[in-house]
Amino acid sequence: VVCLSRDISERASAEQERRIASIAFESQQGMIITDAKNRILRVNQAFTEISGYSADEAIGQDTRLLASGRHSPDFYLAMWRSIQQTGAWQGEIWNRRKTGEVYPEWLSISTVLDAQGAVSNYVAAFTDITERKQAEERIHNLAFYDPLSGLPNRRLLLDRLKQALAATVRSQQYGALMFIDLDNFKNINDLHGHQAGDQLLCMVAERLSGEVRGVNTVARLGGDEFVVMLEDLDAKAEYAAAQAEQIGERILSALGQPYRLGSLLVHSSASIGVVLLNSNDGDAEELMKRADMSMYEAKQAGRNALRFFDPRMQQAVQERLRLEDEIRRGLTAGEFVIHFQPQIERHRGLVGAEVLVRWQHPQRGLLTPVHFIGPAERAGLIEALDFVVLTQACEQLATWARQPSRAALTLAVNLSASLLYQADFVDRVLALLQRTGANPRLLKLEITESLLLDDMEEAVVRMRTLKQHGIRFSIDDFGTGYSSMAYLQRLPLDQLKIDQSFVRQLVEDASSQTIIRATCALASGLKLEVIAEGVETEEQRTLLIANGCDMFQGYLFSRPVPLEAFEALALEPVT
Ligand code: C2E
Ligand code: CA
Ligand code: CA
């Protein structure tokens, strides 16, 4: 009896355990039981509710069925390593529902061993934590973002600033921190109420974000104080300052546009303080303080202004601004003139000239392009300048057309990228030819390879149109860029201009000779003319001829000279 009664109680308690287990299995948590190879053996109702897969659909499948694809192989590797070593794993994981939706879950996996100690099953229990995640995100947003504008707040800015500073150590590039404060926000708030004020701040936030897209950060510190952090500026302080200044000017002009607040149109301006970011110059807090101080200086300077913390930067920027104003003035005053540097053909002698711009400065005398082309480009004045040069060249061609001895002279004009890509460039050139009566066949436009890199397709279209009207094209500084056969063929070119650097080394350096010989062969294959620039010695000329180049330009024949001197030149063929 004793024996029998023990038998029944064992059976009864096993039965009881199974019942408890199966109720526990149907809990609120999703449950999966797999075999040792991750094949699903059993799932519960909560599994189906969360994942969307019915028991029939899931059983027999690999658990990869649920993978979201959001985790790297390394993630799973670490998970399985933990399961092997400790028998369990738990953590957050992204999985995918049957609908395709990816969701976060809290997952714990345990191992079941058989009597021999080998893995027989895995048991996984998980809860959907989508809602918790969303709540966390809301809390995170409150902690790091300004609720009014949606911009990062001071805390997040400081975070990013520290990261940016660390990045400057690696990249050696500067960044910049700009403190921006509206000049009359208090008035607007007092006059039109807080609602109008809030609306204005949101518009400011939008305009700022619009001006500095990409890796840059726009933050709101509170009130009417904003910060823009620029990253990846130049590695040279002066250039970085120039870049920051340019963006700062754009910001000032964007914030200076009128704001429409309902039926109201209000005007505002801002003051900006700038400090360059470099890890050697103090920590984040210190840099913030400096940018703030410079902002107050900008206010003192009369508002709607930008000030650098570093007086040297301020001075460099001011000098550049002064030069830009000067260039603008010089353009109106007609101080930019052209000089001519002869181009010689071996059998025909003088065939034309390259037109090189000079600035007849009232105080500084005659200036060469190194002094003003770069600044003119940065100030957006190069198109105007190039067009002045092009106009003078066309007028000169028209004048020479009436002088039999000079009627066949060609003029080569340097063309900057910004002019070529200007929307109405082709029309403007055609109108200019019409107005001056210059023969387009005598006009050659010199372009550089770097110019073409911006938008090759568009450049080709424009060049083709102009070529149909007779204008010719030369590729300047040939050999210094990425000259590829592919685009040489696609461009409607007439001439290759071998860069001075090859000519300079020609006599000592055999590889320069090889390059020149190859260039000449390439040109003749493509039916292009070749000219060498920077020819200074008889020896260079002789070697050029020996290597197949028959056109020259350089000090050996003449420096660039004013019109009268050019017309007085009598350059004979080279025999
Ligand atoms: P570039 O187009 O390569 O012009 C040739 C430069 O080499 C000229 O300098 C010329 O004076 C100089 N050069 C000529 N022969 C010799 C020589 O035998 N030896 C040496 N060492 N140099 C020689 P420049 O006039 O100072 O012009 C410099 C650059 O400025 C030009 O280089 C061109 O890129 C740019 N530039 C000149 N005029 C204009 C213009 O109207 N528009 C634009 N966008 N750029 C221009
Ligand atoms: Ca040139
Ligand atoms: Ca050149």
Side-chain angles (χ1 to χ4, degrees), residues 354 356 414 446-448 475-478 480 497-500 533-534 553:
E354 175 176 2
L356 293 156
N414 292 287
E446 289 194 5
I447 58 178
T448 59
I475 218 153
D476 204 354
D477 306 339
F478 186 76
T480 58
K497 194 167 197 183
I498 298 174
D499 190 62
Q500 328 199 348
E533 70 177 338
Q553 176 185 342

Side-chain angles (χ1 to χ4, degrees), residues 515-527:
I515 291 172
I516 289 176
R517 200 168 334 119
T519 306
C520 293
L522 172 68
S524 95
L526 293 170
K527 305 242 178 321

Side-chain angles (χ1 to χ4, degrees), residues 171-461:
S171 70
Q172 297 294 317
Q173 283 171 301
Y174 277 90
L177 197 64
M178 300 185 165
F179 261 56
I180 303 167
D181 189 282
L182 301 184
D183 288 332
N184 46 357
F185 181 68
K186 196 175 171 308
N187 283 348
I188 294 170
N189 233 351
D190 291 349
L191 230 74
H192 306 295
H194 287 282
Q195 217 180 339
D198 283 357
Q199 210 182 334
L200 179 88
L201 292 175
C202 289
M203 291 172 82
V204 167
E206 255 168 51
R207 290 185 190 181
L208 286 176
S209 305
E211 287 305 324
V212 295
R213 266 180 229 107
V215 291
N216 306 309
T217 298
V218 180
R220 177 171 173 238
L221 300 187
D224 58 345
E225 280 191 339
F226 293 84
V227 172
V228 165
M229 184 174 75
L230 305 172
E231 290 182 66
D232 295 334
L233 300 179
D234 204 275
K236 263 186 79 183
E238 291 79 30
Y239 290 144
Q243 290 170 319
E245 192 263 343
Q246 223 169 23
I247 296 174
E249 290 297 334
R250 282 210 323 256
I251 289 177
L252 284 181
S253 126
L255 298 186
Q257 305 299 316
Y259 297 82
R260 176 159 292 290
L261 310 173
S263 57
L264 228 59
L265 199 64
V266 304
H267 291 266
S268 182
S269 60
S271 302
I272 303 184
V274 189
V275 59
L276 288 185
L277 294 183
N278 175 294
S279 48
N280 305 326
D281 294 344
D283 62 11
E285 306 279 354
E286 176 62 29
L287 291 166
M288 294 271 278
K289 227 178 280 160
R290 291 183 191 166
D292 198 14
M293 277 163 60
S294 328
M295 189 271 292
Y296 275 98
E297 273 179 36
K299 283 237 187 278
Q300 251 138 37
R303 305 172 161 222
N304 192 25
L306 178 142
R307 279 289 171 280
F308 276 85
F309 178 77
D310 184 338
R312 282 167 312 170
M313 293 303 134
Q314 184 61 32
Q315 200 188 343
V317 162
Q318 253 157 359
E319 265 163 31
R320 226 198 65 225
L321 287 179
R322 204 172 315 134
L323 180 58
E324 287 176 15
D325 278 346
E326 278 277 281
I327 296 174
R328 233 169 254 128
R329 189 195 47 72
L331 277 169
T332 345
E335 289 168 10
F336 291 91
V337 296
I338 57 176
H339 279 196
F340 301 80
Q341 186 175 35
Q343 297 186 328
I344 314 295
E345 206 273 339
R346 184 181 164 196
H347 306 290
R348 291 183 284 148
L350 181 72
V351 288
E354 175 176 2
V355 168
L356 293 156
V357 64
R358 298 290 181 263
W359 185 2
Q360 190 60 65
H361 193 281
Q363 284 92 38
R364 297 166 66 195
L366 192 69
L367 300 178
T368 54
V370 274
H371 297 99
F372 56 84
I373 293 276
E377 274 169 358
R378 279 196 292 273
L381 296 168
I382 191 73
E383 300 101 317
L385 178 59
D386 274 357
F387 208 76
V388 164
V389 172
L390 190 61
T391 306
Q392 292 183 31
C394 286
E395 283 164 352
Q396 191 56 54
L397 283 176
T399 307
W400 281 342
R402 294 186 289 271
Q403 307 170 7
S405 64
R406 303 197 175 99
L409 290 177
T410 61
L411 284 181
V413 176
N414 292 287
L415 186 62
S416 66
S418 32
L419 183 57
L420 176 74
Y421 290 116
Q422 216 174 41
D424 53 355
F425 173 66
V426 170
D427 292 338
R428 283 183 77 192
V429 173
L430 295 179
L432 178 64
L433 288 171
Q434 187 106 58
R435 181 175 71 70
T436 56
N439 179 357
R441 275 166 225 294
L442 299 177
L443 182 63
K444 196 158 33 187
L445 296 179
E446 289 194 5
I447 58 178
T448 59
E449 293 171 53
S450 53
L451 172 153
L452 295 167
L453 295 178
D454 293 348
D455 184 355
M456 174 93 166
E457 300 297 326
E458 189 56 33
V460 170
V461 171

Side-chain angles (χ1 to χ4, degrees), residues 62-238:
D62 190 286
T63 49
R64 267 189 307 235
L65 173 71
L66 307 166
S68 64
R70 270 211 196 170
H71 299 284
S72 66
D74 284 349
F75 175 87
Y76 292 107
L77 223 65
M79 181 172 113
W80 284 107
R81 202 172 300 130
S82 155
I83 294 172
Q84 270 157 17
Q85 282 165 2
T86 68
W89 180 86
Q90 56 180 335
E92 272 182 31
I93 187 167
W94 292 94
N95 269 350
R96 187 184 299 278
R97 301 190 216 272
K98 190 181 172 187
T99 56
E101 181 196 354
V102 169
Y103 69 100
E105 63 179 36
W106 181 263
L107 173 67
S108 45
I109 299 176
S110 328
T111 315
V112 182
L113 303 179
D114 63 16
Q116 281 72 43
V119 174
S120 65
N121 300 89
Y122 295 108
V123 177
F126 60 93
T127 35
D128 186 339
I129 53 169
T130 307
E131 277 172 29
R132 198 188 83 204
K133 275 276 190 211
Q134 282 168 351
E136 271 174 19
E137 206 172 292
R138 273 196 295 276
I139 291 166
H140 172 269
N141 281 351
L142 281 179
F144 291 103
Y145 291 87
D146 160 43
L148 175 68
S149 62
L151 294 178
N153 63 13
R154 179 187 290 270
R155 210 166 129 194
L156 183 52
L157 171 71
L158 271 172
D159 251 28
R160 294 208 184 149
L161 177 54
K162 284 174 192 155
Q163 281 172 24
L165 279 175
T168 61
V169 179
R170 266 172 279 126
S171 70
Q172 297 294 317
Q173 283 171 301
Y174 277 90
L177 197 64
M178 300 185 165
F179 261 56
I180 303 167
D181 189 282
L182 301 184
D183 288 332
N184 46 357
F185 181 68
K186 196 175 171 308
N187 283 348
I188 294 170
N189 233 351
D190 291 349
L191 230 74
H192 306 295
H194 287 282
Q195 217 180 339
D198 283 357
Q199 210 182 334
L200 179 88
L201 292 175
C202 289
M203 291 172 82
V204 167
E206 255 168 51
R207 290 185 190 181
L208 286 176
S209 305
E211 287 305 324
V212 295
R213 266 180 229 107
V215 291
N216 306 309
T217 298
V218 180
R220 177 171 173 238
L221 300 187
D224 58 345
E225 280 191 339
F226 293 84
V227 172
V228 165
M229 184 174 75
L230 305 172
E231 290 182 66
D232 295 334
L233 300 179
D234 204 275
K236 263 186 79 183
E238 291 79 30

